Amino acid sequence: MLSRRSTLAVAAATAALALTQTPARAAVPPQHAVIVCQSASFYANYNSSTGPTGLARTLAHGDKVGHTPGAHPVYNGWAATFDYGPDDWGYVRYECIGGYNSW
């Protein structure tokens, strides 16, 4: 059985850990945008040593996506992007995202 002091220490450590954990996805909702390239590969993941992985599909010019500059990560030109079609996250070339707040 834990002493009162030990119980308080465990409770404090648990509370501190809960405050430092972050969700898998950004808490900032994606800003509406569209694909401005003729087509753009949409990858499921990004690996820092090998680049994008898991080609999910190809997005066409005008497809509705979401990305918030400054809030959602961009790795070596690959931006974390939300595809509003199937409602999932992936990575698209940053230069293929534009037309922010156009719809």
Side-chain angles (χ1 to χ4, degrees):
M1 183 167 195
L2 293 174
S3 69
R4 177 163 167 70
R5 186 175 188 171
S6 296
T7 302
L8 290 174
V10 169
T14 302
L17 180 61
L19 290 175
T20 61
Q21 292 178 337
T22 56
R25 296 291 179 212
V28 176
Q31 187 177 352
H32 289 182
V34 294
I35 296 297
V36 295
C37 294
Q38 187 71 25
S39 65
S41 298
F42 184 80
Y43 288 90
N45 293 299
Y46 186 86
N47 181 306
S48 61
S49 63
T50 60
T53 62
L55 178 63
R57 62 189 149 277
T58 301
L59 302 177
H61 183 270
D63 281 352
K64 295 177 181 180
V65 296
H67 174 81
T68 302
H72 298 141
V74 177
Y75 304 111
N76 295 320
W78 291 93
T81 306
F82 188 78
D83 182 359
Y84 283 102
D87 293 332
D88 61 353
W89 284 91
Y91 292 87
V92 170
R93 290 297 304 170
Y94 186 68
E95 64 268 14
C96 288
I97 302 169
Y100 287 94
N101 297 319
S102 60
W103 56 281

Coordinates of all heavy atoms in Angstrom, one line a residue:
M1 N 0.8 -1.2 0.0 CA 0.0 0.0 0.0 C 0.9 1.2 0.0 O 1.9 1.3 0.7 CB -0.9 0.0 1.2 CG -1.8 1.1 1.3 SD -3.1 0.7 2.5 CE -4.2 1.9 2.1
L2 N 0.6 2.2 -0.8 CA 1.3 3.4 -0.9 C 1.0 4.4 0.2 O -0.1 4.5 0.7 CB 1.0 4.2 -2.2 CG 1.5 3.5 -3.5 CD1 1.0 4.3 -4.7 CD2 3.0 3.3 -3.6
S3 N 2.0 5.1 0.7 CA 1.8 6.1 1.7 C 1.1 7.3 1.1 O 1.1 7.4 -0.2 CB 3.2 6.5 2.3 OG 3.9 7.2 1.4
R4 N 0.6 8.2 1.9 CA 0.0 9.4 1.3 C 0.9 10.2 0.5 O 0.6 10.7 -0.6 CB -0.6 10.2 2.5 CG -1.2 11.5 2.0 CD -2.1 12.1 3.1 NE -2.5 13.5 2.9 CZ -3.4 13.9 1.9 NH1 -3.9 13.0 1.1 NH2 -3.7 15.1 1.8
R5 N 2.2 10.3 1.0 CA 3.2 11.1 0.2 C 3.4 10.4 -1.1 O 3.5 11.1 -2.2 CB 4.4 11.1 1.0 CG 5.5 12.0 0.4 CD 6.7 12.1 1.4 NE 7.6 13.1 0.8 CZ 8.6 13.6 1.4 NH1 8.9 13.2 2.7 NH2 9.4 14.5 0.9
S6 N 3.6 9.1 -1.2 CA 3.8 8.4 -2.4 C 2.6 8.6 -3.4 O 2.7 8.7 -4.6 CB 4.0 6.9 -2.2 OG 5.2 6.7 -1.5
T7 N 1.4 8.5 -2.8 CA 0.2 8.6 -3.6 C 0.1 10.0 -4.2 O -0.2 10.2 -5.4 CB -1.1 8.4 -2.8 OG1 -1.0 7.1 -2.2 CG2 -2.3 8.5 -3.6
L8 N 0.5 11.1 -3.5 CA 0.5 12.4 -4.0 C 1.6 12.6 -5.1 O 1.3 13.3 -6.1 CB 0.7 13.4 -2.9 CG -0.4 13.6 -1.9 CD1 0.0 14.5 -0.7 CD2 -1.7 14.1 -2.6
A9 N 2.7 11.9 -4.9 CA 3.8 12.0 -5.9 C 3.3 11.4 -7.2 O 3.6 11.9 -8.3 CB 5.0 11.4 -5.4
V10 N 2.7 10.2 -7.1 CA 2.2 9.5 -8.3 C 1.1 10.4 -9.0 O 1.1 10.5 -10.2 CB 1.6 8.1 -8.0 CG1 0.9 7.5 -9.1 CG2 2.8 7.2 -7.5
A11 N 0.2 11.0 -8.2 CA -0.8 11.8 -8.8 C -0.2 13.0 -9.5 O -0.6 13.4 -10.6 CB -1.8 12.3 -7.7
A12 N 0.8 13.6 -8.9 CA 1.5 14.8 -9.5 C 2.2 14.4 -10.8 O 2.1 15.1 -11.8 CB 2.4 15.4 -8.5
A13 N 2.9 13.3 -10.8 CA 3.6 12.8 -12.0 C 2.6 12.5 -13.1 O 2.8 12.8 -14.3 CB 4.4 11.6 -11.7
T14 N 1.5 11.9 -12.8 CA 0.4 11.6 -13.8 C -0.1 12.8 -14.4 O -0.3 13.0 -15.6 CB -0.7 10.7 -13.2 OG1 -0.1 9.5 -12.6 CG2 -1.7 10.4 -14.2
A15 N -0.4 13.8 -13.5 CA -0.9 15.1 -14.0 C 0.1 15.8 -14.9 O -0.3 16.4 -16.0 CB -1.3 16.0 -12.9
A16 N 1.3 15.8 -14.6 CA 2.4 16.4 -15.4 C 2.5 15.8 -16.7 O 2.6 16.4 -17.7 CB 3.7 16.4 -14.6
L17 N 2.4 14.4 -16.7 CA 2.5 13.7 -18.0 C 1.3 14.0 -18.9 O 1.5 14.2 -20.1 CB 2.6 12.2 -17.7 CG 2.7 11.3 -18.9 CD1 4.0 11.6 -19.7 CD2 2.7 9.8 -18.5
A18 N 0.2 14.1 -18.3 CA -1.0 14.4 -19.1 C -0.9 15.8 -19.8 O -1.4 16.0 -20.9 CB -2.3 14.3 -18.2
L19 N -0.3 16.7 -19.1 CA -0.1 18.1 -19.7 C 0.9 18.1 -20.8 O 0.9 19.0 -21.6 CB 0.3 19.0 -18.6 CG -0.8 19.4 -17.5 CD1 -0.2 20.2 -16.4 CD2 -2.0 20.0 -18.2
T20 N 1.9 17.2 -20.8 CA 2.9 17.2 -21.8 C 2.6 16.4 -23.1 O 3.2 16.5 -24.1 CB 4.2 16.7 -21.3 OG1 4.1 15.3 -20.9 CG2 4.7 17.5 -20.1
Q21 N 1.5 15.6 -23.0 CA 1.2 14.8 -24.2 C 0.4 15.6 -25.2 O -0.4 16.5 -24.8 CB 0.3 13.6 -23.7 CG 1.1 12.6 -22.9 CD 0.3 11.4 -22.5 OE1 -0.9 11.5 -22.4 NE2 0.9 10.3 -22.2
T22 N 0.7 15.4 -26.5 CA 0.0 16.1 -27.5 C -0.7 15.1 -28.4 O -0.3 14.0 -28.6 CB 1.0 16.9 -28.4 OG1 1.9 16.0 -28.9 CG2 1.7 18.0 -27.5
P23 N -1.8 15.6 -29.0 CA -2.6 14.7 -29.9 C -1.8 14.4 -31.2 O -0.8 15.1 -31.5 CB -3.8 15.4 -30.2 CG -3.5 16.9 -30.0 CD -2.5 16.9 -28.9
A24 N -2.1 13.3 -31.8 CA -1.4 12.9 -33.1 C -1.6 13.9 -34.2 O -0.7 14.1 -35.0 CB -1.9 11.5 -33.5
R25 N -2.7 14.6 -34.2 CA -3.0 15.6 -35.2 C -3.0 17.0 -34.5 O -3.4 17.1 -33.4 CB -4.3 15.3 -35.9 CG -4.3 14.1 -36.7 CD -3.3 14.2 -37.9 NE -3.3 13.0 -38.7 CZ -2.2 12.5 -39.3 NH1 -1.1 13.2 -39.3 NH2 -2.3 11.4 -40.0
A26 N -2.7 18.0 -35.3 CA -2.7 19.3 -34.8 C -4.1 19.7 -34.3 O -5.1 19.3 -34.9 CB -2.3 20.3 -35.8
A27 N -4.2 20.5 -33.2 CA -5.5 21.0 -32.7 C -6.1 22.1 -33.6 O -7.2 22.4 -33.4 CB -5.3 21.4 -31.3
V28 N -5.3 22.6 -34.4 CA -5.7 23.7 -35.3 C -6.4 23.1 -36.5 O -5.9 22.3 -37.2 CB -4.5 24.6 -35.8 CG1 -5.0 25.6 -36.8 CG2 -3.8 25.2 -34.6
P29 N -7.7 23.5 -36.8 CA -8.4 23.0 -37.9 C -7.7 23.4 -39.2 O -7.2 24.5 -39.3 CB -9.8 23.5 -37.8 CG -9.8 24.6 -36.8 CD -8.5 24.4 -36.0
P30 N -7.7 22.6 -40.3 CA -7.1 23.0 -41.5 C -7.8 24.1 -42.2 O -9.0 24.2 -42.2 CB -7.1 21.7 -42.3 CG -8.1 20.8 -41.7 CD -8.3 21.2 -40.3
Q31 N -7.0 25.0 -42.8 CA -7.6 26.1 -43.5 C -7.9 25.6 -44.9 O -7.2 24.9 -45.5 CB -6.5 27.2 -43.6 CG -7.0 28.5 -44.3 CD -5.9 29.6 -44.2 OE1 -4.8 29.4 -43.6 NE2 -6.1 30.7 -44.9
H32 N -9.1 26.0 -45.4 CA -9.6 25.5 -46.7 C -8.6 26.0 -47.8 O -8.3 27.2 -47.8 CB -11.0 26.0 -47.0 CG -12.0 25.3 -46.2 ND1 -13.3 25.6 -46.3 CD2 -11.9 24.4 -45.2 CE1 -14.0 24.8 -45.5 NE2 -13.2 24.1 -44.8
A33 N -8.3 25.1 -48.7 CA -7.5 25.4 -49.9 C -7.8 24.4 -51.0 O -8.7 23.6 -50.9 CB -6.0 25.2 -49.5
V34 N -7.2 24.6 -52.1 CA -7.4 23.7 -53.3 C -6.0 23.3 -53.8 O -5.0 23.9 -53.6 CB -8.2 24.3 -54.4 CG1 -9.6 24.6 -53.9 CG2 -7.6 25.6 -54.9
I35 N -6.0 22.2 -54.6 CA -4.8 21.7 -55.3 C -4.7 22.6 -56.5 O -5.6 22.8 -57.3 CB -4.9 20.3 -55.7 CG1 -5.0 19.4 -54.5 CG2 -3.8 19.9 -56.6 CD1 -3.8 19.4 -53.6
V36 N -3.5 23.3 -56.7 CA -3.3 24.2 -57.8 C -2.4 23.6 -58.9 O -2.3 24.2 -59.9 CB -2.7 25.6 -57.3 CG1 -3.7 26.3 -56.4 CG2 -1.4 25.4 -56.6
C37 N -1.8 22.5 -58.6 CA -1.0 21.8 -59.6 C -2.0 21.0 -60.5 O -3.1 20.7 -60.1 CB 0.0 20.8 -59.0 SG 1.3 21.6 -58.1
Q38 N -1.5 20.6 -61.7 CA -2.3 19.7 -62.6 C -2.7 18.5 -61.9 O -3.9 18.0 -62.0 CB -1.5 19.4 -63.9 CG -2.3 18.7 -64.9 CD -3.3 19.6 -65.6 OE1 -3.2 20.8 -65.6 NE2 -4.4 18.9 -66.1
S39 N -1.8 17.9 -61.1 CA -2.1 16.7 -60.3 C -1.1 16.7 -59.1 O 0.0 17.3 -59.3 CB -2.0 15.4 -61.1 OG -0.7 15.2 -61.5
A40 N -1.4 16.1 -58.0 CA -0.5 16.0 -56.9 C -0.6 14.7 -56.2 O -1.7 14.2 -55.9 CB -0.9 17.2 -55.9
S41 N 0.5 14.1 -56.0 CA 0.5 12.8 -55.2 C 0.2 13.1 -53.8 O 0.8 14.0 -53.2 CB 1.9 12.1 -55.4 OG 2.1 11.8 -56.7
F42 N -0.7 12.2 -53.2 CA -1.1 12.3 -51.8 C -0.6 11.1 -51.1 O -1.0 10.0 -51.4 CB -2.6 12.4 -51.7 CG -3.2 12.7 -50.4 CD1 -3.2 13.9 -49.8 CD2 -3.7 11.6 -49.7 CE1 -3.7 14.1 -48.5 CE2 -4.3 11.8 -48.4 CZ -4.3 13.1 -47.8
Y43 N 0.4 11.3 -50.2 CA 1.0 10.2 -49.5 C 0.4 10.0 -48.0 O 0.2 11.1 -47.4 CB 2.5 10.3 -49.4 CG 3.2 10.1 -50.7 CD1 3.4 11.2 -51.6 CD2 3.6 8.9 -51.1 CE1 4.0 11.0 -52.8 CE2 4.2 8.7 -52.3 CZ 4.4 9.7 -53.2 OH 5.0 9.5 -54.4
A44 N 0.3 8.8 -47.6 CA -0.2 8.6 -46.2 C 0.7 9.0 -45.1 O 0.3 9.5 -44.1 CB -0.5 7.1 -46.1
N45 N 2.0 8.9 -45.3 CA 3.0 9.2 -44.2 C 4.2 10.0 -44.8 O 4.4 10.0 -46.0 CB 3.5 7.9 -43.6 CG 2.4 7.3 -42.8 OD1 1.8 7.9 -41.9 ND2 2.0 6.1 -43.2
Y46 N 5.0 10.5 -43.9 CA 6.3 11.1 -44.3 C 7.4 10.5 -43.3 O 7.2 10.5 -42.1 CB 6.3 12.6 -44.2 CG 7.5 13.2 -44.7 CD1 7.7 13.5 -46.1 CD2 8.6 13.5 -43.9 CE1 8.8 14.0 -46.6 CE2 9.8 14.0 -44.4 CZ 9.9 14.3 -45.7 OH 11.1 14.8 -46.2
N47 N 8.5 10.0 -43.9 CA 9.6 9.5 -43.2 C 10.7 10.5 -43.3 O 11.1 10.8 -44.5 CB 9.9 8.1 -43.7 CG 11.1 7.5 -42.9 OD1 12.2 8.1 -42.8 ND2 10.9 6.3 -42.5
S48 N 11.3 10.9 -42.2 CA 12.3 12.0 -42.3 C 13.6 11.5 -43.0 O 14.3 12.3 -43.6 CB 12.7 12.5 -40.9 OG 13.2 11.4 -40.1
S49 N 13.8 10.2 -43.1 CA 15.1 9.7 -43.8 C 14.8 9.4 -45.2 O 15.7 9.4 -46.0 CB 15.7 8.6 -43.0 OG 14.8 7.5 -43.0
T50 N 13.6 9.0 -45.6 CA 13.3 8.5 -47.0 C 12.3 9.4 -47.7 O 12.1 9.2 -48.9 CB 12.8 7.1 -47.0 OG1 11.6 7.0 -46.2 CG2 13.9 6.1 -46.4
G51 N 11.6 10.3 -47.0 CA 10.6 11.1 -47.7 C 9.2 10.5 -47.6 O 8.9 9.7 -46.7
P52 N 8.3 10.9 -48.5 CA 6.9 10.5 -48.4 C 6.8 9.0 -48.6 O 7.6 8.4 -49.4 CB 6.2 11.3 -49.4 CG 7.2 11.6 -50.4 CD 8.5 11.8 -49.6
T53 N 5.9 8.3 -47.9 CA 5.6 6.9 -48.1 C 4.2 6.6 -48.2 O 3.3 7.3 -47.6 CB 6.2 6.1 -46.9 OG1 5.6 6.5 -45.7 CG2 7.7 6.3 -46.8
G54 N 3.8 5.5 -48.8 CA 2.5 5.0 -48.9 C 1.6 5.9 -49.8 O 0.6 6.5 -49.3
L55 N 1.8 5.9 -51.1 CA 1.0 6.6 -52.0 C -0.5 6.2 -51.8 O -0.8 5.1 -52.0 CB 1.4 6.4 -53.4 CG 0.6 7.2 -54.5 CD1 0.7 8.7 -54.3 CD2 1.0 6.7 -55.9
A56 N -1.3 7.2 -51.4 CA -2.7 6.9 -51.2 C -3.5 7.1 -52.5 O -4.4 6.3 -52.8 CB -3.2 7.8 -50.1
R57 N -3.2 8.2 -53.2 CA -4.0 8.5 -54.4 C -3.3 9.8 -55.1 O -2.5 10.4 -54.5 CB -5.4 8.8 -54.1 CG -5.7 9.9 -53.2 CD -7.2 10.0 -52.8 NE -7.3 10.6 -51.5 CZ -7.2 9.9 -50.3 NH1 -6.9 8.7 -50.3 NH2 -7.3 10.5 -49.2
T58 N -3.8 10.1 -56.2 CA -3.4 11.3 -56.9 C -4.6 12.3 -56.9 O -5.7 12.0 -57.2 CB -3.0 11.0 -58.4 OG1 -1.9 10.1 -58.4 CG2 -2.6 12.3 -59.1
L59 N -4.3 13.5 -56.4 CA -5.3 14.6 -56.4 C -5.3 15.4 -57.6 O -4.2 15.6 -58.2 CB -5.1 15.5 -55.1 CG -5.1 14.7 -53.8 CD1 -4.8 15.7 -52.7 CD2 -6.4 14.1 -53.5
A60 N -6.4 15.8 -58.1 CA -6.5 16.6 -59.3 C -6.6 18.1 -59.0 O -7.0 18.5 -57.9 CB -7.7 16.2 -60.1
H61 N -6.3 18.9 -60.0 CA -6.4 20.4 -59.9 C -7.8 20.7 -59.4 O -8.8 20.2 -60.0 CB -6.1 21.0 -61.3 CG -6.1 22.5 -61.3 ND1 -7.3 23.2 -61.5 CD2 -5.2 23.4 -61.0 CE1 -7.0 24.5 -61.4 NE2 -5.7 24.6 -61.1
G62 N -7.9 21.5 -58.4 CA -9.2 22.0 -57.9 C -9.7 21.1 -56.8 O -10.7 21.5 -56.1
D63 N -9.1 20.0 -56.5 CA -9.6 19.2 -55.3 C -9.5 20.0 -54.0 O -8.5 20.7 -53.8 CB -8.8 17.9 -55.2 CG -9.2 16.8 -56.2 OD1 -10.3 17.0 -56.9 OD2 -8.6 15.8 -56.3
K64 N -10.5 19.8 -53.2 CA -10.5 20.6 -51.9 C -9.7 19.9 -50.9 O -9.8 18.7 -50.6 CB -11.9 20.7 -51.5 CG -12.8 21.5 -52.4 CD -14.2 21.6 -52.0 CE -15.0 22.4 -53.0 NZ -16.4 22.6 -52.7
V65 N -8.7 20.7 -50.3 CA -7.8 20.2 -49.3 C -7.8 21.2 -48.1 O -8.3 22.3 -48.3 CB -6.4 19.9 -49.8 CG1 -6.5 18.7 -50.8 CG2 -5.8 21.1 -50.4
G66 N -7.1 20.9 -47.1 CA -6.9 21.8 -46.0 C -5.4 21.8 -45.5 O -4.8 20.7 -45.4
H67 N -4.9 22.9 -45.2 CA -3.5 23.1 -44.7 C -3.5 24.5 -44.0 O -3.9 25.4 -44.7 CB -2.4 22.9 -45.7 CG -1.1 23.2 -45.2 ND1 -0.4 22.3 -44.5 CD2 -0.3 24.3 -45.3 CE1 0.8 22.8 -44.2 NE2 0.9 24.1 -44.6
T68 N -3.0 24.6 -42.8 CA -2.8 25.9 -42.2 C -1.3 26.2 -42.1 O -0.6 25.6 -41.3 CB -3.5 25.8 -40.8 OG1 -4.8 25.5 -40.9 CG2 -3.4 27.2 -40.1
P69 N -0.9 27.1 -42.9 CA 0.6 27.5 -42.9 C 0.9 28.0 -41.5 O 0.2 28.8 -40.9 CB 0.7 28.7 -43.9 CG -0.5 28.4 -44.8 CD -1.6 27.9 -44.0
G70 N 2.1 27.5 -41.0 CA 2.5 27.9 -39.7 C 2.0 27.0 -38.6 O 2.6 27.0 -37.5
A71 N 0.9 26.3 -38.8 CA 0.4 25.4 -37.8 C 0.6 23.9 -38.1 O 0.8 23.1 -37.2 CB -1.1 25.7 -37.6
H72 N 0.5 23.6 -39.4 CA 0.6 22.2 -39.8 C 2.0 22.0 -40.4 O 2.5 22.9 -41.1 CB -0.4 21.8 -40.8 CG -1.8 21.9 -40.2 ND1 -2.9 22.4 -40.9 CD2 -2.3 21.6 -39.0 CE1 -4.0 22.3 -40.2 NE2 -3.6 21.9 -39.0
P73 N 2.7 20.9 -40.1 CA 4.1 20.8 -40.5 C 4.3 20.7 -42.0 O 3.5 20.2 -42.8 CB 4.5 19.5 -39.8 CG 3.3 18.7 -39.5 CD 2.2 19.8 -39.4
V74 N 5.5 21.1 -42.4 CA 6.0 21.0 -43.8 C 7.4 20.4 -43.7 O 8.3 21.0 -43.0 CB 6.0 22.3 -44.6 CG1 6.6 22.1 -46.0 CG2 4.7 22.9 -44.6
Y75 N 7.7 19.2 -44.2 CA 9.0 18.6 -44.2 C 9.6 18.5 -45.6 O 9.0 17.8 -46.4 CB 8.8 17.1 -43.6 CG 8.2 17.1 -42.3 CD1 6.9 16.5 -42.1 CD2 8.8 17.6 -41.1 CE1 6.3 16.4 -40.9 CE2 8.2 17.5 -39.9 CZ 6.9 16.9 -39.8 OH 6.3 16.8 -38.6
N76 N 10.7 19.2 -45.8 CA 11.3 19.2 -47.1 C 10.4 19.4 -48.2 O 10.5 18.8 -49.3 CB 12.1 17.8 -47.3 CG 13.2 17.7 -46.3 OD1 13.9 18.6 -46.0 ND2 13.4 16.5 -45.8
G77 N 9.5 20.3 -48.1 CA 8.5 20.7 -49.1 C 7.3 19.8 -49.2 O 6.4 20.1 -50.0
W78 N 7.1 18.9 -48.3 CA 5.9 18.0 -48.2 C 5.1 18.5 -47.0 O 5.5 18.5 -45.9 CB 6.3 16.5 -48.0 CG 6.9 16.0 -49.2 CD1 8.3 15.9 -49.5 CD2 6.2 15.5 -50.4 NE1 8.4 15.4 -50.8 CE2 7.2 15.1 -51.3 CE3 4.9 15.3 -50.7 CZ2 6.9 14.5 -52.6 CZ3 4.6 14.7 -51.9 CH2 5.6 14.4 -52.8
A79 N 3.8 18.9 -47.3 CA 3.0 19.6 -46.3 C 1.9 18.6 -45.8 O 1.3 17.9 -46.6 CB 2.3 20.8 -46.9
A80 N 1.8 18.6 -44.5 CA 0.7 17.8 -43.9 C -0.6 18.4 -44.4 O -0.8 19.6 -44.2 CB 0.8 17.9 -42.3
T81 N -1.5 17.6 -45.0 CA -2.6 18.1 -45.7 C -3.8 17.3 -45.4 O -3.7 16.0 -45.3 CB -2.4 18.1 -47.2 OG1 -1.2 18.8 -47.4 CG2 -3.5 18.7 -48.0
F82 N -5.0 17.9 -45.3 CA -6.2 17.2 -45.1 C -7.0 17.1 -46.4 O -7.2 18.1 -47.0 CB -7.1 17.9 -44.0 CG -8.3 17.1 -43.6 CD1 -8.2 16.0 -42.7 CD2 -9.6 17.4 -44.1 CE1 -9.3 15.3 -42.4 CE2 -10.7 16.7 -43.8 CZ -10.6 15.6 -42.9
D83 N -7.3 15.9 -46.8 CA -8.1 15.7 -48.1 C -9.6 15.7 -47.7 O -10.0 14.7 -47.0 CB -7.7 14.5 -48.8 CG -8.4 14.3 -50.1 OD1 -9.3 15.1 -50.5 OD2 -8.1 13.3 -50.8
Y84 N -10.3 16.7 -48.1 CA -11.8 16.7 -47.7 C -12.6 15.7 -48.4 O -13.7 15.5 -48.0 CB -12.3 18.1 -48.0 CG -11.9 19.1 -46.9 CD1 -10.9 20.0 -47.1 CD2 -12.5 19.1 -45.7 CE1 -10.5 20.9 -46.1 CE2 -12.1 20.0 -44.7 CZ -11.1 20.9 -44.9 OH -10.7 21.8 -43.9
G85 N -12.1 15.1 -49.5 CA -12.9 14.0 -50.2 C -13.1 12.9 -49.3 O -14.2 12.7 -48.8
P86 N -12.1 12.1 -49.0 CA -12.3 10.9 -48.1 C -12.1 11.3 -46.6 O -12.1 10.4 -45.7 CB -11.3 9.9 -48.5 CG -10.3 10.6 -49.4 CD -10.9 11.9 -49.8
D87 N -11.8 12.6 -46.3 CA -11.6 13.0 -44.9 C -10.4 12.3 -44.2 O -10.6 11.6 -43.2 CB -12.9 12.8 -44.1 CG -14.0 13.7 -44.5 OD1 -13.7 14.8 -45.0 OD2 -15.2 13.3 -44.3
D88 N -9.2 12.4 -44.8 CA -8.1 11.9 -44.2 C -6.9 12.8 -44.3 O -6.9 13.7 -45.2 CB -7.8 10.4 -44.7 CG -7.5 10.4 -46.2 OD1 -7.7 11.4 -46.9 OD2 -7.1 9.3 -46.6
W89 N -5.8 12.5 -43.5 CA -4.6 13.3 -43.5 C -3.5 12.6 -44.4 O -3.5 11.4 -44.4 CB -4.1 13.5 -42.1 CG -4.8 14.5 -41.3 CD1 -5.9 14.3 -40.5 CD2 -4.6 15.9 -41.3 NE1 -6.3 15.5 -39.9 CE2 -5.5 16.5 -40.4 CE3 -3.6 16.8 -41.8 CZ2 -5.5 17.8 -40.1 CZ3 -3.6 18.1 -41.5 CH2 -4.6 18.6 -40.7
G90 N -2.7 13.4 -45.0 CA -1.5 12.9 -45.7 C -0.6 14.0 -46.0 O -0.6 15.1 -45.4
Y91 N 0.3 13.8 -47.0 CA 1.3 14.7 -47.4 C 1.3 15.0 -48.9 O 1.2 14.1 -49.7 CB 2.7 14.2 -47.0 CG 2.8 14.2 -45.5 CD1 2.4 13.1 -44.7 CD2 3.3 15.3 -44.8 CE1 2.5 13.1 -43.4 CE2 3.4 15.3 -43.4 CZ 3.0 14.2 -42.7 OH 3.1 14.2 -41.3
V92 N 1.3 16.3 -49.2 CA 1.3 16.8 -50.6 C 2.4 17.8 -50.7 O 2.7 18.5 -49.8 CB -0.1 17.4 -50.9 CG1 -0.1 18.2 -52.2 CG2 -1.2 16.4 -50.9
R93 N 3.0 18.0 -51.9 CA 4.0 19.0 -52.1 C 3.3 20.4 -51.8 O 2.2 20.7 -52.2 CB 4.4 19.1 -53.6 CG 5.3 17.9 -54.0 CD 6.6 17.8 -53.3 NE 7.4 19.0 -53.4 CZ 8.5 19.2 -52.7 NH1 9.0 18.4 -51.8 NH2 9.2 20.4 -52.8
Y94 N 4.1 21.2 -51.0 CA 3.6 22.4 -50.5 C 3.2 23.4 -51.7 O 2.2 24.1 -51.6 CB 4.6 23.1 -49.6 CG 4.2 24.3 -48.9 CD1 3.2 24.3 -48.0 CD2 4.7 25.6 -49.2 CE1 2.8 25.5 -47.3 CE2 4.3 26.7 -48.6 CZ 3.3 26.7 -47.7 OH 2.9 27.8 -47.0
E95 N 4.0 23.4 -52.7 CA 3.7 24.3 -53.8 C 2.4 24.0 -54.6 O 1.9 24.7 -55.4 CB 4.9 24.4 -54.8 CG 5.2 23.1 -55.5 CD 6.2 22.2 -54.8 OE1 6.5 22.5 -53.6 OE2 6.8 21.3 -55.4
C96 N 1.9 22.8 -54.3 CA 0.6 22.4 -55.0 C -0.6 22.8 -54.2 O -1.8 22.5 -54.6 CB 0.6 20.9 -55.2 SG 1.8 20.4 -56.5
I97 N -0.4 23.5 -53.1 CA -1.6 23.9 -52.3 C -1.7 25.4 -52.4 O -0.7 26.2 -52.3 CB -1.3 23.6 -50.8 CG1 -1.1 22.1 -50.6 CG2 -2.5 24.1 -49.9 CD1 -0.6 21.7 -49.2
G98 N -2.9 25.9 -52.7 CA -3.1 27.3 -52.9 C -4.6 27.6 -52.8 O -5.4 26.8 -52.4
G99 N -5.0 28.8 -53.3 CA -6.4 29.2 -53.3 C -7.0 29.2 -51.9 O -8.1 28.7 -51.7
Y100 N -6.2 29.6 -50.9 CA -6.7 29.5 -49.5 C -8.0 30.3 -49.4 O -8.1 31.4 -49.9 CB -5.6 30.1 -48.6 CG -4.5 29.1 -48.4 CD1 -3.3 29.2 -49.2 CD2 -4.6 28.1 -47.4 CE1 -2.3 28.3 -49.0 CE2 -3.5 27.2 -47.3 CZ -2.4 27.3 -48.0 OH -1.3 26.4 -47.9
N101 N -8.9 29.8 -48.6 CA -10.2 30.4 -48.3 C -11.0 30.7 -49.6 O -11.8 31.7 -49.6 CB -10.0 31.7 -47.5 CG -9.5 31.3 -46.1 OD1 -9.8 30.3 -45.5 ND2 -8.5 32.1 -45.7
S102 N -10.8 30.0 -50.7 CA -11.5 30.2 -51.9 C -12.8 29.5 -52.1 O -13.5 29.7 -53.0 CB -10.6 29.8 -53.1 OG -10.2 28.5 -53.1
W103 N -13.1 28.7 -51.1 CA -14.4 28.0 -51.2 C -15.1 28.0 -49.9 O -15.2 28.0 -48.9 CB -14.3 26.6 -51.7 CG -13.3 25.7 -51.0 CD1 -12.0 25.6 -51.1 CD2 -13.7 24.7 -50.0 NE1 -11.5 24.7 -50.3 CE2 -12.4 24.0 -49.6 CE3 -14.8 24.2 -49.5 CZ2 -12.4 23.0 -48.7 CZ3 -14.8 23.2 -48.6 CH2 -13.6 22.6 -48.2

